[in-house]
Amino acid sequence: EPQVFLLKLPGATVVASVQFLAVPAMMNDIKGAMGDAKAGLTDAATDAAKKVIEEELAEKAPESLKPLFPCCGGPVGTMDRCICMVQEDQREQVKSAIEKYRSL
């Protein structure tokens, strides 16, 4: 809220209005907004990474497992539950992708 001061100068009276800024409070607001934006970016990046892993696992899934995606939690859940159906040479890659997905 503006503060009003009455200044008496020789030969004149001046009324001045000064707005004092609450700099520490403003800085906290700015830091909070930046933190919220950073969290939003982190969430967006995490969602994007999860989407990439889901697409990768959907491509690597055997055709016989693809119909199970809706009832087993998508490509990640299906591949996790039915890892024995994944080709042996791809199994370690699939397991590491599932672990990475779960850690995000």
Side-chain angles (χ1 to χ4, degrees):
E1 184 167 314
Q3 299 291 320
V4 178
F5 295 96
L6 181 63
L7 300 174
K8 291 189 180 186
L9 300 174
T13 300
V14 178
V15 177
S17 175
V18 179
Q19 177 74 39
F20 288 102
L21 300 176
V23 175
M26 286 177 51
M27 291 303 292
N28 288 337
D29 291 344
I30 291 169
K31 286 179 185 177
M34 288 174 61
D36 292 344
K38 187 176 180 182
L41 287 176
T42 303
D43 291 343
T46 301
D47 291 342
K50 284 185 172 188
K51 185 75 172 165
V52 168
I53 293 171
E54 287 174 353
E55 290 171 357
E56 178 185 319
L57 290 178
E59 289 175 16
K60 290 183 179 182
E63 291 298 319
S64 59
L65 291 182
K66 292 182 180 187
L68 300 176
F69 287 177
C71 58
C72 291
V76 176
T78 303
M79 297 289 273
D80 191 29
R81 288 177 180 86
C82 304
I83 194 74
C84 62
M85 298 287 291
V86 177
Q87 292 179 1
E88 200 168 325
D89 61 330
Q90 292 183 351
R91 202 169 288 167
E92 287 304 315
Q93 291 174 337
V94 170
K95 284 181 181 179
S96 68
I98 291 170
E99 289 174 18
K100 188 174 183 179
Y101 181 90
R102 301 255 190 249
S103 70
L104 293 175

